[in-house]
Amino acid sequence: MVSKKSSNFAPEKKRDSIFTIQIMRKIIIILLLMLCQTMAFAGGSALLITFNNGNTAEYVLSEQPKVSFDGNMMQIVTSDVSTSYVRSEVKDFSFVEAPAPTAIDVVPQVHNTFEYRDATVRTSGSTIEVYSLDGRLIHSGTSIVSLASEPSGVYVVKTGNQVIKIKR
């Protein structure tokens, strides 16, 4: 009798073992598919904005830019920057695929360059206007404007068709 019981339970254990192996295979396949999608997504998907004047701006999707429209403004917010554009100046926006940058690749330059470093705003020849949060024009100039004399705080910088908030 004991031998019959053990033989009766053996097929159930074998069935459970096969079932467990099938589940594990499915889980591994799902994980591999998810990994492939993540690798494909990291390949350089980006939001490309084209302006009426031919300039472009690009936001990498891995930074998860949030796009919103408010009245006549288009706003894009990432963890690093908040930028607003006048909607009538935006010709088109689309999603593009680009190869992931490597140490050898050259990072493409945006035509309308903007740089803020060491309390100085620099652009490629555009007029720069710096406003306080209450809307007062603090500084205005072409190509370079220094904020070194201003107190720490948040400022709104307008250059060309870009409006950017910066923290000093």
Side-chain angles (χ1 to χ4, degrees):
M1 290 272 193
V2 173
S3 62
K4 275 189 172 182
K5 281 189 178 180
S6 63
S7 65
N8 285 342
F9 288 111
E12 288 180 23
K13 286 184 179 181
K14 188 174 182 179
R15 213 174 317 130
D16 290 344
S17 175
I18 291 172
F19 183 70
T20 303
I21 291 172
Q22 288 174 343
I23 289 176
M24 293 301 289
R25 284 182 183 164
K26 288 179 182 179
I27 290 173
I28 289 172
I29 289 170
I30 290 170
L31 289 174
L32 287 173
L33 287 173
M34 289 172 56
L35 178 64
C36 289
Q37 282 182 330
T38 304
M39 290 171 60
F41 183 72
S45 298
L47 170 64
L48 179 68
I49 300 172
T50 306
F51 300 99
N52 293 332
N53 64 4
N55 290 345
T56 60
E58 192 171 307
Y59 296 87
V60 179
L61 292 182
S62 63
E63 295 178 7
Q64 299 178 347
K66 292 176 181 49
V67 180
S68 62
F69 298 93
D70 184 23
N72 68 340
M73 298 300 290
M74 174 183 183
Q75 184 172 21
I76 300 173
V77 178
T78 68
S79 59
D80 297 330
V81 69
S82 173
T83 308
S84 295
Y85 303 105
V86 177
R87 286 177 67 180
S88 62
E89 294 178 4
V90 176
K91 179 179 180 182
D92 184 34
F93 63 95
S94 58
F95 297 96
V96 295
E97 291 290 328
T102 66
I104 300 171
D105 289 343
V106 175
V107 178
Q109 294 292 317
V110 176
H111 298 287
N112 189 11
T113 59
F114 172 88
E115 179 183 348
Y116 175 68
R117 185 182 307 153
D118 300 326
T120 303
V121 179
R122 292 179 176 86
T123 67
S124 56
S126 299
T127 300
I128 303 168
E129 296 174 344
V130 181
Y131 296 89
S132 63
L133 286 181
D134 62 2
R136 289 181 301 116
L137 179 64
I138 305 237
H139 290 285
S140 180
T142 304
S143 298
I144 298 175
V145 171
S146 175
L147 299 177
S149 63
E150 297 301 323
S152 295
V154 177
Y155 296 92
V156 177
V157 177
K158 182 180 180 195
T159 173
N161 56 1
Q162 292 183 326
V163 178
I164 301 168
K165 292 179 189 173
I166 59 171
K167 184 178 179 184
R168 160 132 168 65

